[in-house]
Amino acid sequence: MSWQFTVRGSRYQFDSLIDLLAKASPERSGDMLAGIAAKSPEERVAAQFCLADTLLSGLLDEGVLPASQDEVSKLIQNQWKADVFAKISHLTVGSLREFLLDEKTTGETIAGIRPGLTPEMIAAVSKIMSLQDMILVSQKIQIVTSFRNTLGLKGRLSVRLQPNHPTDDPKGVMGTVLDGLLLGAGDAVIGINPVTDNPQNTRVLLELLDEMRNRLQIPTQSCVLCHVTTAMELMREKAPVDLVFQSIGGTQKLNESFGISLSLLKEAQEEAIAMKRGTIGNNVMYFETGQGSALSANAHYGIDQQTLEVRAYAVAREFSPLLVNSVVGFIGPEYLFNGKQIIRAGVEDHFAGKMMGLPMGVDVCYTNHAEADMDDMDALLSLLGLAGCNYIMGVPASDDVMLSYQSTSFHDALYLRQVLGLKPAPEFEAWLLNQRIFSRESNLPIWTEPSPLLLSGDKP
C-alpha cells in the first residue's frame, strides 16, 4: 500500500505501513536516532491524516513483521479473532478514535471488541489522539487482577514498594520496606531490583521479604526482579517465589536478547501457579517494558518504538500477569529526550496497555542525563492518576540509590490518593487500618492528621 497527502502545497508519500506508522508518531528521540521519524511537523501531520483515513482492515492487509519470521507476530495472529473484528471492520483509524471517545462507549464495550484489535491498530489510534483523548478512554477501563490482594479496582491506586539497595544489604532493604509500609505503600508488590542476579543472593532477599510478610500478616506479594531462569531454578528448590518477573519486548529478536522465548515464559508461569502461593488469585507474572528497548538491541526492523511497545503488550497478556510496568523514562534520553516526550509516552503506554487488557502501572521516572525534572514527573503522575493507572512506584525521596534514576516517592502516592480520593487495594487497606497505620477518617497515615491540641487553639 501507498499513501499520499498534501500539506501547504507539499506532497508527502508513505510507501509502507511501517513508514506511515513511524512518520505519524509524535516526536521522540529514539525514532529520530533510528532515522524513521518524520522530517518535519508538516510530514507528521500528513502521516496522521493518512493514518486516520486508513481502514482497520488495511492494517491487517500489510503487517509490520511477518508471522513466519517472528513468534510475537505469530502470537498476535493467534490472539486476533476474526468474528469480533467483523463488527468493527468498517471503521477507519479515525472513526475508531471517535468510537472510543463516544460517551456511550463503556469499558465493557471496549472489552467486547478487544479480541478483534491488534497492537498495530491500538498503536495507530493512539498516534492521532491527544493526551486528554487517551486519559478519557483509559479511565473507562478497569483491569482487575489478584494474588494475595485485589488490584485495579475503580477508586484504587496501588504502589510497588521498591526497596532497592546498592549492596542488597538486608538491613537497608528492611529499613526502606518499613518506611514504605508506614506510608501506605506496598500493596501492588514489594519488589526489589537486586544488584546481582545469582540464585543465592536472590534467595536471601526472597526469604527476608517472606519472613517479614508472614510475621506481620501483610496481604501483599513480594518479588525479587531476577531473570526468569533464576526464578525457575529457585522455584524448583522450593524458595518462596510469589511472582515471576521478566522484561519483555515486541519482537522475537528483542526477547532473545533478554534470553527468553514465549515457551520459556509459559513454562515459568506453569511452575509459579503450581507453587500455589496465591490466596485469592493466581496471576503470577510481573512484566516490565519500555519504549526504545528494541532499538538499543538492534531488534526493531525499522518499526517505531511505540508500535513495538504495544506489540510487547500482546506478549504480556498471553500470560495473565498480575502487574505490567512501563518504565517510561528509564531507558534514557536517546529514546525519550525530555519531559515532554516522557509525558506523552507515559500516557500512550498506559492507554495502549489498558486497551490490550493489561493491569498497567507506570514507573513515572527519568534518568539524570535526560532533559527532565520533577515538575515533569508531577505532571505525568497527575495525568496517570486521572487516567486510572493501576499502580506507581514508591521509592524513598524519589531517588533510587541503586539504579541511579529518579522515580516517584511514597509521598507522591499519598498526594495522588488524597487529591483524587483514591484508596489502596481493599485487603491492604484493611490491614493498614487494623494496624492503626492509616486513619479510618482520612484514609491517610495517622501521623499526617493535625494534632487535636493545635486544632483547639491551645498553646502546647
Side-chain angles (χ1 to χ4, degrees):
M1 291 179 66
S2 178
W3 294 260
Q4 291 185 349
F5 196 83
T6 300
V7 179
R8 295 180 179 175
S10 298
R11 179 170 292 276
Y12 297 93
Q13 180 166 321
F14 311 97
D15 295 326
S16 68
L17 179 59
I18 289 178
D19 185 43
L20 180 64
L21 289 169
K23 296 295 199 311
S25 288
E27 182 178 300
R28 59 208 59 195
S29 53
D31 292 338
M32 295 171 67
L33 183 65
I36 61 175
K39 304 260 186 321
S40 67
E42 290 81 6
E43 186 178 26
R44 182 171 297 108
V45 167
Q48 290 172 342
F49 267 103
C50 289
L51 190 59
D53 289 338
T54 299
L55 284 166
L56 297 182
S57 56
L59 301 181
L60 289 174
D61 294 338
E62 184 179 348
V64 297
L65 193 55
S68 60
Q69 300 176 19
D70 183 271
E71 70 171 3
V72 176
S73 295
K74 182 66 174 177
L75 175 67
I76 292 167
Q77 187 180 81
N78 292 339
Q79 290 177 342
W80 180 75
K81 303 301 181 187
D83 57 335
V84 178
F85 180 70
K87 302 173 185 177
I88 56 173
S89 60
H90 62 287
L91 296 178
T92 63
V93 174
S95 55
L96 174 62
R97 170 186 172 272
E98 293 170 2
F99 170 80
L100 294 174
L101 292 172
D102 193 304
E103 63 182 14
K104 297 177 183 176
T105 299
T106 64
E108 291 74 19
T109 309
I110 295 169
I113 67 167
R114 184 174 292 132
L117 295 170
T118 65
E120 289 80 6
M121 294 174 193
I122 293 171
V125 75
S126 73
K127 294 175 191 297
I128 62 168
M129 296 177 81
S130 66
L131 292 179
Q132 63 180 255
D133 287 346
M134 291 185 283
I135 291 167
L136 178 60
V137 175
S138 297
Q139 61 82 34
K140 297 181 181 185
I141 304 170
Q142 278 77 55
I143 307 298
V144 179
T145 57
S146 60
F147 188 76
R148 290 198 188 93
N149 56 25
T150 309
L151 303 174
L153 294 168
K154 192 172 183 62
R156 305 278 174 172
L157 173 72
S158 296
V159 184
R160 171 189 161 188
L161 203 172
Q162 186 168 302
N164 296 344
H165 190 276
T167 63
D168 287 342
D169 177 68
K171 291 183 179 179
V173 168
M174 293 309 295
T176 299
V177 171
L178 179 61
D179 186 19
L181 290 172
L182 291 174
L183 289 167
D187 50 341
V189 64
I190 302 175
I192 304 173
N193 296 92
V195 175
T196 61
D197 197 56
N198 71 73
Q200 294 78 15
N201 180 66
T202 301
R203 181 162 194 150
V204 167
L205 294 173
L206 283 169
E207 291 176 346
L208 181 74
L209 294 179
D210 198 54
E211 180 184 1
M212 176 272 304
R213 182 189 60 78
N214 280 312
R215 181 177 296 183
L216 300 179
Q217 297 184 316
I218 309 171
T220 190
Q221 37 284 328
S222 63
C223 184
V224 177
L225 281 64
C226 58
H227 191 268
V228 62
T229 54
T230 303
M232 292 168 73
E233 179 180 340
L234 289 168
M235 285 190 288
R236 291 162 188 167
E237 296 174 357
K238 306 303 180 184
V241 176
D242 287 345
L243 306 182
V244 174
F245 168 82
Q246 184 56 51
S247 296
I248 57 172
T251 70
Q252 179 179 336
K253 186 177 180 182
L254 174 56
N255 286 327
E256 288 172 349
S257 77
F258 292 144
I260 61 169
S261 64
L262 298 181
S263 60
L264 181 66
L265 293 177
K266 183 64 176 175
E267 184 180 354
Q269 181 193 29
E270 291 172 350
E271 291 188 14
I273 290 173
M275 297 280 287
K276 297 182 179 179
R277 292 182 59 81
T279 55
I280 64 172
N282 62 356
N283 298 115
V284 296
M285 305 299 282
Y286 176 15
F287 293 121
E288 200 162 80
T289 67
Q291 290 192 30
S293 56
L295 177 58
S296 65
N298 193 28
H300 62 99
Y301 300 95
I303 305 167
D304 69 273
Q305 61 188 45
Q306 192 246 345
T307 297
L308 289 174
E309 176 74 2
V310 190
R311 283 170 55 91
Y313 300 157
V315 175
R317 74 175 176 184
E318 185 69 10
F319 303 100
S320 304
L322 181 74
L323 306 164
V324 178
N325 175 35
S326 168
V327 287
V328 66
F330 181 73
I331 302 180
E334 299 85 359
Y335 310 103
L336 296 168
F337 181 72
N338 55 23
K340 180 179 177 63
Q341 292 183 13
I342 293 171
I343 289 170
R344 171 78 195 192
V347 175
E348 283 175 353
D349 290 354
H350 178 259
F351 161 80
K354 286 287 184 73
M355 284 291 298
M356 290 286 288
L358 292 177
M360 286 302 294
V362 177
D363 192 345
V364 179
C365 64
Y366 65 97
T367 55
N368 290 313
H369 61 309
E371 290 291 325
D373 58 28
M374 290 311 298
D375 286 344
D376 298 313
M377 298 305 102
D378 283 351
L380 177 54
L381 173 70
S382 301
L383 294 177
L384 289 168
L386 290 172
C389 189
N390 279 28
Y391 70 102
I392 61 170
M393 305 299 111
V395 179
S398 306
D399 186 6
D400 192 304
V401 295
M402 192 278 280
L403 293 174
S404 297
Y405 81 117
Q406 308 304 309
S407 185
T408 43
S409 70
F410 306 133
H411 297 82
D412 289 330
L414 291 178
Y415 147 74
L416 207 54
R417 285 171 173 168
Q418 187 173 9
V419 77
L420 296 177
L422 303 173
K423 298 180 178 182
E427 301 86 352
F428 192 79
E429 178 193 17
W431 179 80
L432 291 170
L433 294 173
N434 290 336
Q435 297 294 319
R436 299 195 73 250
I437 296 172
F438 266 33
S439 161
R440 295 183 185 276
E441 288 72 32
S442 67
N443 208 53
L444 292 169
I446 285 176
W447 61 263
T448 65
E449 294 186 345
S451 164
L453 185 62
L454 294 177
L455 288 176
S456 70
D458 297 335
K459 293 182 179 181

